[in-house]
mmCIF file of all heavy atoms in Angstrom:
data_model
loop_
_atom_site.group_PDB
_atom_site.id
_atom_site.type_symbol
_atom_site.label_atom_id
_atom_site.label_comp_id
_atom_site.label_asym_id
_atom_site.label_seq_id
_atom_site.Cartn_x
_atom_site.Cartn_y
_atom_site.Cartn_z
ATOM 1 N N GLU N 103 -111.973 92.270 83.824
ATOM 2 C CA GLU N 103 -112.803 91.069 83.881
ATOM 3 C C GLU N 103 -112.434 90.261 85.117
ATOM 4 O O GLU N 103 -111.267 89.956 85.363
ATOM 5 C CB GLU N 103 -112.602 90.224 82.628
ATOM 6 C CG GLU N 103 -113.490 88.995 82.589
ATOM 7 C CD GLU N 103 -113.314 88.158 81.336
ATOM 8 O OE1 GLU N 103 -112.466 88.496 80.494
ATOM 9 O OE2 GLU N 103 -114.029 87.152 81.224
ATOM 10 N N MET N 104 -113.451 89.931 85.884
ATOM 11 C CA MET N 104 -113.276 89.093 87.072
ATOM 12 C C MET N 104 -113.917 87.733 86.800
ATOM 13 O O MET N 104 -114.662 87.579 85.831
ATOM 14 C CB MET N 104 -113.923 89.772 88.285
ATOM 15 C CG MET N 104 -113.404 91.181 88.560
ATOM 16 S SD MET N 104 -111.643 91.270 88.896
ATOM 17 C CE MET N 104 -111.596 90.627 90.564
ATOM 18 N N ASP N 105 -113.676 86.768 87.669
ATOM 19 C CA ASP N 105 -114.208 85.432 87.434
ATOM 20 C C ASP N 105 -115.684 85.282 87.779
ATOM 21 O O ASP N 105 -116.312 84.291 87.417
ATOM 22 C CB ASP N 105 -113.377 84.362 88.141
ATOM 23 C CG ASP N 105 -113.384 84.493 89.660
ATOM 24 O OD1 ASP N 105 -114.057 85.390 90.199
ATOM 25 O OD2 ASP N 105 -112.691 83.682 90.321
ATOM 26 N N SER N 106 -116.268 86.276 88.487
ATOM 27 C CA SER N 106 -117.687 86.220 88.825
ATOM 28 C C SER N 106 -118.182 87.621 89.151
ATOM 29 O O SER N 106 -117.376 88.534 89.390
ATOM 30 C CB SER N 106 -117.933 85.301 90.026
ATOM 31 O OG SER N 106 -117.381 85.882 91.204
ATOM 32 N N SER N 107 -119.482 87.774 89.195
ATOM 33 C CA SER N 107 -120.048 89.082 89.566
ATOM 34 C C SER N 107 -119.771 89.386 91.036
ATOM 35 O O SER N 107 -119.619 90.551 91.414
ATOM 36 C CB SER N 107 -121.548 89.138 89.267
ATOM 37 O OG SER N 107 -122.234 88.146 89.998
ATOM 38 N N VAL N 108 -119.670 88.346 91.866
ATOM 39 C CA VAL N 108 -119.341 88.550 93.281
ATOM 40 C C VAL N 108 -117.927 89.121 93.402
ATOM 41 O O VAL N 108 -117.678 90.056 94.169
ATOM 42 C CB VAL N 108 -119.480 87.224 94.073
ATOM 43 C CG1 VAL N 108 -118.954 87.376 95.483
ATOM 44 C CG2 VAL N 108 -120.931 86.770 94.085
ATOM 45 N N SER N 109 -116.985 88.600 92.624
ATOM 46 C CA SER N 109 -115.615 89.128 92.624
ATOM 47 C C SER N 109 -115.590 90.565 92.118
ATOM 48 O O SER N 109 -114.836 91.395 92.631
ATOM 49 C CB SER N 109 -114.701 88.266 91.752
ATOM 50 O OG SER N 109 -114.555 86.982 92.286
ATOM 51 N N ALA N 110 -116.413 90.866 91.110
ATOM 52 C CA ALA N 110 -116.467 92.229 90.574
ATOM 53 C C ALA N 110 -117.001 93.200 91.627
ATOM 54 O O ALA N 110 -116.459 94.299 91.803
ATOM 55 C CB ALA N 110 -117.341 92.257 89.322
ATOM 56 N N GLU N 111 -118.028 92.797 92.337
ATOM 57 C CA GLU N 111 -118.580 93.647 93.392
ATOM 58 C C GLU N 111 -117.581 93.815 94.535
ATOM 59 O O GLU N 111 -117.436 94.910 95.080
ATOM 60 C CB GLU N 111 -119.904 93.068 93.891
ATOM 61 C CG GLU N 111 -121.009 93.160 92.865
ATOM 62 C CD GLU N 111 -122.237 92.328 93.206
ATOM 63 O OE1 GLU N 111 -122.286 91.742 94.315
ATOM 64 O OE2 GLU N 111 -123.134 92.253 92.355
ATOM 65 N N ASP N 112 -116.873 92.745 94.864
ATOM 66 C CA ASP N 112 -115.857 92.810 95.910
ATOM 67 C C ASP N 112 -114.720 93.745 95.500
ATOM 68 O O ASP N 112 -114.186 94.488 96.323
ATOM 69 C CB ASP N 112 -115.315 91.410 96.208
ATOM 70 C CG ASP N 112 -114.380 91.390 97.397
ATOM 71 O OD1 ASP N 112 -114.695 92.040 98.416
ATOM 72 O OD2 ASP N 112 -113.319 90.723 97.315
ATOM 73 N N PHE N 113 -114.352 93.724 94.235
ATOM 74 C CA PHE N 113 -113.324 94.619 93.707
ATOM 75 C C PHE N 113 -113.713 96.074 93.986
ATOM 76 O O PHE N 113 -112.903 96.860 94.477
ATOM 77 C CB PHE N 113 -113.164 94.383 92.201
ATOM 78 C CG PHE N 113 -112.104 95.218 91.540
ATOM 79 C CD1 PHE N 113 -110.841 94.692 91.341
ATOM 80 C CD2 PHE N 113 -112.362 96.513 91.116
ATOM 81 C CE1 PHE N 113 -109.845 95.447 90.717
ATOM 82 C CE2 PHE N 113 -111.380 97.275 90.507
ATOM 83 C CZ PHE N 113 -110.120 96.745 90.306
ATOM 84 N N ILE N 114 -114.958 96.430 93.692
ATOM 85 C CA ILE N 114 -115.427 97.800 93.896
ATOM 86 C C ILE N 114 -115.446 98.152 95.380
ATOM 87 O O ILE N 114 -115.000 99.233 95.775
ATOM 88 C CB ILE N 114 -116.816 97.999 93.247
ATOM 89 C CG1 ILE N 114 -116.688 97.867 91.727
ATOM 90 C CG2 ILE N 114 -117.420 99.349 93.632
ATOM 91 C CD1 ILE N 114 -118.007 97.799 90.987
ATOM 92 N N VAL N 115 -115.938 97.248 96.205
ATOM 93 C CA VAL N 115 -115.990 97.500 97.651
ATOM 94 C C VAL N 115 -114.583 97.722 98.203
ATOM 95 O O VAL N 115 -114.336 98.668 98.960
ATOM 96 C CB VAL N 115 -116.696 96.330 98.381
ATOM 97 C CG1 VAL N 115 -116.497 96.422 99.884
ATOM 98 C CG2 VAL N 115 -118.178 96.313 98.034
ATOM 99 N N GLN N 116 -113.649 96.866 97.816
ATOM 100 C CA GLN N 116 -112.269 96.994 98.300
ATOM 101 C C GLN N 116 -111.605 98.262 97.775
ATOM 102 O O GLN N 116 -110.839 98.915 98.499
ATOM 103 C CB GLN N 116 -111.440 95.762 97.909
ATOM 104 C CG GLN N 116 -111.890 94.485 98.556
ATOM 105 C CD GLN N 116 -111.834 94.551 100.073
ATOM 106 O OE1 GLN N 116 -110.911 95.098 100.653
ATOM 107 N NE2 GLN N 116 -112.861 94.019 100.718
ATOM 108 N N TYR N 117 -111.881 98.612 96.532
ATOM 109 C CA TYR N 117 -111.310 99.835 95.962
ATOM 110 C C TYR N 117 -111.807 101.059 96.729
ATOM 111 O O TYR N 117 -111.017 101.935 97.104
ATOM 112 C CB TYR N 117 -111.666 99.939 94.479
ATOM 113 C CG TYR N 117 -111.089 101.156 93.795
ATOM 114 C CD1 TYR N 117 -109.708 101.355 93.735
ATOM 115 C CD2 TYR N 117 -111.916 102.104 93.212
ATOM 116 C CE1 TYR N 117 -109.175 102.472 93.106
ATOM 117 C CE2 TYR N 117 -111.389 103.218 92.586
ATOM 118 C CZ TYR N 117 -110.020 103.401 92.536
ATOM 119 O OH TYR N 117 -109.493 104.518 91.910
ATOM 120 N N LYS N 118 -113.096 101.117 96.993
ATOM 121 C CA LYS N 118 -113.655 102.243 97.754
ATOM 122 C C LYS N 118 -113.096 102.296 99.173
ATOM 123 O O LYS N 118 -112.877 103.380 99.719
ATOM 124 C CB LYS N 118 -115.186 102.143 97.802
ATOM 125 C CG LYS N 118 -115.873 102.476 96.501
ATOM 126 C CD LYS N 118 -117.363 102.207 96.542
ATOM 127 C CE LYS N 118 -118.065 102.888 97.674
ATOM 128 N NZ LYS N 118 -119.506 102.625 97.711
ATOM 129 N N ALA N 119 -112.846 101.134 99.752
ATOM 130 C CA ALA N 119 -112.332 101.082 101.125
ATOM 131 C C ALA N 119 -110.923 101.664 101.231
ATOM 132 O O ALA N 119 -110.488 102.050 102.318
ATOM 133 C CB ALA N 119 -112.345 99.647 101.636
ATOM 134 N N GLY N 120 -110.222 101.760 100.116
ATOM 135 C CA GLY N 120 -108.865 102.299 100.121
ATOM 136 C C GLY N 120 -108.794 103.814 100.201
ATOM 137 O O GLY N 120 -107.704 104.378 100.293
ATOM 138 N N PHE N 121 -109.933 104.490 100.183
ATOM 139 C CA PHE N 121 -109.961 105.958 100.244
ATOM 140 C C PHE N 121 -110.262 106.420 101.661
ATOM 141 O O PHE N 121 -111.083 105.829 102.346
ATOM 142 C CB PHE N 121 -111.044 106.517 99.304
ATOM 143 C CG PHE N 121 -110.717 106.363 97.853
ATOM 144 C CD1 PHE N 121 -111.167 105.266 97.139
ATOM 145 C CD2 PHE N 121 -109.966 107.330 97.197
ATOM 146 C CE1 PHE N 121 -110.875 105.128 95.800
ATOM 147 C CE2 PHE N 121 -109.672 107.190 95.863
ATOM 148 C CZ PHE N 121 -110.119 106.085 95.153
ATOM 149 N N ARG N 122 -109.602 107.507 102.068
ATOM 150 C CA ARG N 122 -109.929 108.131 103.347
ATOM 151 C C ARG N 122 -111.102 109.077 103.142
ATOM 152 O O ARG N 122 -111.362 109.538 102.026
ATOM 153 C CB ARG N 122 -108.736 108.928 103.869
ATOM 154 C CG ARG N 122 -107.555 108.059 104.233
ATOM 155 C CD ARG N 122 -106.453 108.892 104.785
ATOM 156 N NE ARG N 122 -106.237 110.040 103.895
ATOM 157 C CZ ARG N 122 -105.242 110.881 103.963
ATOM 158 N NH1 ARG N 122 -104.350 110.747 104.883
ATOM 159 N NH2 ARG N 122 -105.123 111.874 103.126
ATOM 160 N N GLU N 123 -111.782 109.382 104.232
ATOM 161 C CA GLU N 123 -112.879 110.346 104.167
ATOM 162 C C GLU N 123 -112.327 111.730 103.870
ATOM 163 O O GLU N 123 -111.215 112.064 104.278
ATOM 164 C CB GLU N 123 -113.647 110.375 105.489
ATOM 165 C CG GLU N 123 -114.517 109.171 105.710
ATOM 166 C CD GLU N 123 -115.403 109.344 106.926
ATOM 167 O OE1 GLU N 123 -115.854 110.475 107.196
ATOM 168 O OE2 GLU N 123 -115.628 108.336 107.603
ATOM 169 N N LEU N 124 -113.106 112.536 103.172
ATOM 170 C CA LEU N 124 -112.724 113.929 102.928
ATOM 171 C C LEU N 124 -112.981 114.739 104.187
ATOM 172 O O LEU N 124 -113.880 114.420 104.973
ATOM 173 C CB LEU N 124 -113.537 114.512 101.770
ATOM 174 C CG LEU N 124 -113.291 113.902 100.391
ATOM 175 C CD1 LEU N 124 -114.263 114.494 99.382
ATOM 176 C CD2 LEU N 124 -111.857 114.138 99.950
ATOM 177 N N SER N 125 -112.229 115.803 104.366
ATOM 178 C CA SER N 125 -112.439 116.650 105.543
ATOM 179 C C SER N 125 -113.789 117.359 105.478
ATOM 180 O O SER N 125 -114.383 117.671 106.502
ATOM 181 C CB SER N 125 -111.302 117.655 105.698
ATOM 182 O OG SER N 125 -111.188 118.445 104.531
ATOM 183 N N SER N 126 -114.249 117.626 104.263
ATOM 184 C CA SER N 126 -115.597 118.182 104.104
ATOM 185 C C SER N 126 -116.185 117.667 102.798
ATOM 186 O O SER N 126 -115.476 117.471 101.819
ATOM 187 C CB SER N 126 -115.566 119.714 104.096
ATOM 188 O OG SER N 126 -114.858 120.179 102.971
ATOM 189 N N GLY N 127 -117.463 117.435 102.805
ATOM 190 C CA GLY N 127 -118.130 116.915 101.618
ATOM 191 C C GLY N 127 -118.044 115.403 101.544
ATOM 192 O O GLY N 127 -117.483 114.740 102.413
ATOM 193 N N SER N 128 -118.607 114.856 100.499
ATOM 194 C CA SER N 128 -118.656 113.410 100.327
ATOM 195 C C SER N 128 -117.732 112.984 99.196
ATOM 196 O O SER N 128 -117.741 113.584 98.119
ATOM 197 C CB SER N 128 -120.090 112.976 100.023
ATOM 198 O OG SER N 128 -120.132 111.586 99.810
ATOM 199 N N ARG N 129 -116.947 111.966 99.440
ATOM 200 C CA ARG N 129 -116.054 111.445 98.409
ATOM 201 C C ARG N 129 -116.820 110.613 97.380
ATOM 202 O O ARG N 129 -116.498 110.598 96.204
ATOM 203 C CB ARG N 129 -114.966 110.583 99.047
ATOM 204 C CG ARG N 129 -113.977 110.052 98.027
ATOM 205 C CD ARG N 129 -112.849 109.272 98.643
ATOM 206 N NE ARG N 129 -112.022 109.997 99.558
ATOM 207 C CZ ARG N 129 -111.022 110.815 99.216
ATOM 208 N NH1 ARG N 129 -110.769 111.035 97.951
ATOM 209 N NH2 ARG N 129 -110.301 111.414 100.147
ATOM 210 N N PHE N 130 -117.863 109.897 97.836
ATOM 211 C CA PHE N 130 -118.591 108.975 96.971
ATOM 212 C C PHE N 130 -119.996 109.491 96.684
ATOM 213 O O PHE N 130 -120.711 109.876 97.600
ATOM 214 C CB PHE N 130 -118.682 107.597 97.624
ATOM 215 C CG PHE N 130 -117.351 107.024 98.005
ATOM 216 C CD1 PHE N 130 -117.005 106.888 99.337
ATOM 217 C CD2 PHE N 130 -116.445 106.627 97.042
ATOM 218 C CE1 PHE N 130 -115.784 106.361 99.704
ATOM 219 C CE2 PHE N 130 -115.215 106.102 97.399
ATOM 220 C CZ PHE N 130 -114.874 105.971 98.729
ATOM 221 N N THR N 131 -120.365 109.453 95.406
ATOM 222 C CA THR N 131 -121.706 109.848 94.985
ATOM 223 C C THR N 131 -122.277 108.732 94.127
ATOM 224 O O THR N 131 -121.655 108.313 93.145
ATOM 225 C CB THR N 131 -121.666 111.160 94.161
ATOM 226 O OG1 THR N 131 -121.022 112.169 94.937
ATOM 227 C CG2 THR N 131 -123.061 111.602 93.771
ATOM 228 N N GLU N 132 -123.451 108.235 94.520
ATOM 229 C CA GLU N 132 -124.115 107.183 93.743
ATOM 230 C C GLU N 132 -124.794 107.798 92.520
ATOM 231 O O GLU N 132 -125.460 108.822 92.624
ATOM 232 C CB GLU N 132 -125.163 106.473 94.599
ATOM 233 C CG GLU N 132 -124.587 105.709 95.775
ATOM 234 C CD GLU N 132 -123.861 104.448 95.377
ATOM 235 O OE1 GLU N 132 -124.256 103.812 94.375
ATOM 236 O OE2 GLU N 132 -122.887 104.094 96.061
ATOM 237 N N GLU N 133 -124.607 107.172 91.368
ATOM 238 C CA GLU N 133 -125.246 107.591 90.123
ATOM 239 C C GLU N 133 -125.678 106.354 89.355
ATOM 240 O O GLU N 133 -125.276 105.240 89.680
ATOM 241 C CB GLU N 133 -124.289 108.429 89.262
ATOM 242 C CG GLU N 133 -123.963 109.780 89.854
ATOM 243 C CD GLU N 133 -123.230 110.682 88.877
ATOM 244 O OE1 GLU N 133 -123.283 110.435 87.653
ATOM 245 O OE2 GLU N 133 -122.597 111.636 89.351
ATOM 246 N N ILE N 134 -126.465 106.568 88.322
ATOM 247 C CA ILE N 134 -126.873 105.477 87.440
ATOM 248 C C ILE N 134 -126.167 105.669 86.102
ATOM 249 O O ILE N 134 -126.286 106.718 85.477
ATOM 250 C CB ILE N 134 -128.404 105.462 87.229
ATOM 251 C CG1 ILE N 134 -129.133 105.280 88.562
ATOM 252 C CG2 ILE N 134 -128.804 104.375 86.229
ATOM 253 C CD1 ILE N 134 -128.866 103.955 89.247
ATOM 254 N N ILE N 135 -125.423 104.655 85.694
ATOM 255 C CA ILE N 135 -124.741 104.653 84.395
ATOM 256 C C ILE N 135 -125.266 103.451 83.621
ATOM 257 O O ILE N 135 -125.104 102.312 84.055
ATOM 258 C CB ILE N 135 -123.207 104.548 84.543
ATOM 259 C CG1 ILE N 135 -122.639 105.705 85.363
ATOM 260 C CG2 ILE N 135 -122.534 104.454 83.176
ATOM 261 C CD1 ILE N 135 -122.626 107.040 84.679
ATOM 262 N N ASN N 136 -125.915 103.713 82.512
ATOM 263 C CA ASN N 136 -126.455 102.649 81.658
ATOM 264 C C ASN N 136 -127.300 101.647 82.438
ATOM 265 O O ASN N 136 -127.240 100.445 82.206
ATOM 266 C CB ASN N 136 -125.321 101.930 80.923
ATOM 267 C CG ASN N 136 -124.570 102.852 80.003
ATOM 268 O OD1 ASN N 136 -125.155 103.678 79.317
ATOM 269 N ND2 ASN N 136 -123.254 102.744 79.994
ATOM 270 N N GLY N 137 -128.076 102.149 83.387
ATOM 271 C CA GLY N 137 -128.964 101.303 84.155
ATOM 272 C C GLY N 137 -128.299 100.583 85.318
ATOM 273 O O GLY N 137 -128.935 99.772 85.983
ATOM 274 N N HIS N 138 -127.028 100.865 85.567
ATOM 275 C CA HIS N 138 -126.300 100.222 86.663
ATOM 276 C C HIS N 138 -125.983 101.238 87.742
ATOM 277 O O HIS N 138 -125.753 102.414 87.454
ATOM 278 C CB HIS N 138 -124.994 99.601 86.158
ATOM 279 C CG HIS N 138 -125.203 98.505 85.178
ATOM 280 N ND1 HIS N 138 -125.530 97.224 85.550
ATOM 281 C CD2 HIS N 138 -125.169 98.490 83.828
ATOM 282 C CE1 HIS N 138 -125.669 96.471 84.482
ATOM 283 N NE2 HIS N 138 -125.465 97.221 83.414
ATOM 284 N N SER N 139 -125.930 100.772 88.968
ATOM 285 C CA SER N 139 -125.536 101.627 90.079
ATOM 286 C C SER N 139 -124.029 101.839 90.000
ATOM 287 O O SER N 139 -123.253 100.891 90.079
ATOM 288 C CB SER N 139 -125.914 100.959 91.403
ATOM 289 O OG SER N 139 -125.473 101.748 92.473
ATOM 290 N N ALA N 140 -123.632 103.086 89.817
ATOM 291 C CA ALA N 140 -122.216 103.431 89.715
ATOM 292 C C ALA N 140 -121.852 104.373 90.846
ATOM 293 O O ALA N 140 -122.715 104.992 91.460
ATOM 294 C CB ALA N 140 -121.940 104.103 88.366
ATOM 295 N N VAL N 141 -120.565 104.472 91.099
ATOM 296 C CA VAL N 141 -120.066 105.375 92.129
ATOM 297 C C VAL N 141 -119.134 106.383 91.466
ATOM 298 O O VAL N 141 -118.222 105.985 90.725
ATOM 299 C CB VAL N 141 -119.305 104.606 93.231
ATOM 300 C CG1 VAL N 141 -118.735 105.570 94.264
ATOM 301 C CG2 VAL N 141 -120.201 103.583 93.892
ATOM 302 N N ARG N 142 -119.399 107.653 91.723
ATOM 303 C CA ARG N 142 -118.482 108.708 91.294
ATOM 304 C C ARG N 142 -117.586 109.012 92.488
ATOM 305 O O ARG N 142 -118.073 109.318 93.576
ATOM 306 C CB ARG N 142 -119.235 109.964 90.860
ATOM 307 C CG ARG N 142 -118.302 111.054 90.367
ATOM 308 C CD ARG N 142 -119.055 112.270 89.887
ATOM 309 N NE ARG N 142 -119.593 112.970 91.056
ATOM 310 C CZ ARG N 142 -120.682 113.726 91.035
ATOM 311 N NH1 ARG N 142 -121.387 113.847 89.942
ATOM 312 N NH2 ARG N 142 -121.084 114.332 92.121
ATOM 313 N N ILE N 143 -116.287 108.883 92.290
ATOM 314 C CA ILE N 143 -115.320 109.083 93.366
ATOM 315 C C ILE N 143 -114.604 110.415 93.146
ATOM 316 O O ILE N 143 -114.122 110.697 92.047
ATOM 317 C CB ILE N 143 -114.292 107.934 93.404
ATOM 318 C CG1 ILE N 143 -115.019 106.597 93.558
ATOM 319 C CG2 ILE N 143 -113.279 108.144 94.520
ATOM 320 C CD1 ILE N 143 -114.134 105.385 93.384
ATOM 321 N N LEU N 144 -114.540 111.206 94.189
ATOM 322 C CA LEU N 144 -113.885 112.516 94.148
ATOM 323 C C LEU N 144 -112.533 112.425 94.841
ATOM 324 O O LEU N 144 -112.437 111.963 95.973
ATOM 325 C CB LEU N 144 -114.771 113.562 94.842
ATOM 326 C CG LEU N 144 -114.161 114.932 95.106
ATOM 327 C CD1 LEU N 144 -113.779 115.622 93.792
ATOM 328 C CD2 LEU N 144 -115.143 115.795 95.895
ATOM 329 N N GLU N 145 -111.496 112.848 94.130
ATOM 330 C CA GLU N 145 -110.153 112.964 94.689
ATOM 331 C C GLU N 145 -109.650 114.373 94.389
ATOM 332 O O GLU N 145 -110.199 115.062 93.528
ATOM 333 C CB GLU N 145 -109.186 111.969 94.042
ATOM 334 C CG GLU N 145 -109.520 110.524 94.253
ATOM 335 C CD GLU N 145 -108.509 109.634 93.568
ATOM 336 O OE1 GLU N 145 -107.425 109.446 94.136
ATOM 337 O OE2 GLU N 145 -108.809 109.161 92.468
ATOM 338 N N TYR N 146 -108.600 114.783 95.058
ATOM 339 C CA TYR N 146 -107.980 116.071 94.770
ATOM 340 C C TYR N 146 -106.517 115.868 94.426
ATOM 341 O O TYR N 146 -105.830 115.054 95.040
ATOM 342 C CB TYR N 146 -108.102 117.015 95.973
ATOM 343 C CG TYR N 146 -109.505 117.537 96.165
ATOM 344 C CD1 TYR N 146 -110.385 116.894 97.022
ATOM 345 C CD2 TYR N 146 -109.958 118.652 95.463
ATOM 346 C CE1 TYR N 146 -111.679 117.362 97.189
ATOM 347 C CE2 TYR N 146 -111.254 119.117 95.625
ATOM 348 C CZ TYR N 146 -112.101 118.471 96.490
ATOM 349 O OH TYR N 146 -113.374 118.929 96.634
ATOM 350 N N VAL N 147 -106.052 116.600 93.416
ATOM 351 C CA VAL N 147 -104.639 116.618 93.057
ATOM 352 C C VAL N 147 -104.145 118.053 93.205
ATOM 353 O O VAL N 147 -104.927 119.005 93.097
ATOM 354 C CB VAL N 147 -104.399 116.108 91.620
ATOM 355 C CG1 VAL N 147 -104.804 114.653 91.487
ATOM 356 C CG2 VAL N 147 -105.108 116.958 90.602
ATOM 357 N N THR N 148 -102.863 118.200 93.448
ATOM 358 C CA THR N 148 -102.290 119.534 93.582
ATOM 359 C C THR N 148 -101.629 119.935 92.273
ATOM 360 O O THR N 148 -100.742 119.232 91.770
ATOM 361 C CB THR N 148 -101.249 119.562 94.730
ATOM 362 O OG1 THR N 148 -101.891 119.112 95.927
ATOM 363 C CG2 THR N 148 -100.700 120.962 94.935
ATOM 364 N N VAL N 149 -102.096 121.044 91.715
ATOM 365 C CA VAL N 149 -101.534 121.599 90.489
ATOM 366 C C VAL N 149 -101.217 123.064 90.772
ATOM 367 O O VAL N 149 -102.121 123.864 91.049
ATOM 368 C CB VAL N 149 -102.532 121.484 89.308
ATOM 369 C CG1 VAL N 149 -101.958 122.123 88.059
ATOM 370 C CG2 VAL N 149 -102.904 120.031 89.056
ATOM 371 N N ASP N 150 -99.932 123.409 90.697
ATOM 372 C CA ASP N 150 -99.493 124.782 90.978
ATOM 373 C C ASP N 150 -100.049 125.297 92.308
ATOM 374 O O ASP N 150 -100.628 126.377 92.382
ATOM 375 C CB ASP N 150 -99.899 125.730 89.841
ATOM 376 C CG ASP N 150 -99.229 125.374 88.533
ATOM 377 O OD1 ASP N 150 -98.100 124.855 88.564
ATOM 378 O OD2 ASP N 150 -99.848 125.616 87.478
#
Side-chain angles (χ1 to χ4, degrees):
E103 183 179 2
M104 304 300 285
D105 63 2
S106 68
S107 60
V108 172
S109 295
E111 291 167 6
D112 187 43
F113 182 96
I114 294 170
V115 168
Q116 295 300 320
Y117 181 61
K118 287 173 54 180
F121 290 94
R122 294 182 312 190
E123 286 188 35
L124 294 175
S125 57
S126 65
S128 178
R129 182 176 299 279
F130 305 111
T131 304
E132 295 288 328
E133 292 191 19
I134 300 296
I135 301 288
N136 298 319
H138 296 280
S139 177
V141 177
R142 182 178 73 207
I143 303 171
L144 170 62
E145 297 180 80
Y146 287 94
V147 296
T148 304
V149 177
D150 297 329

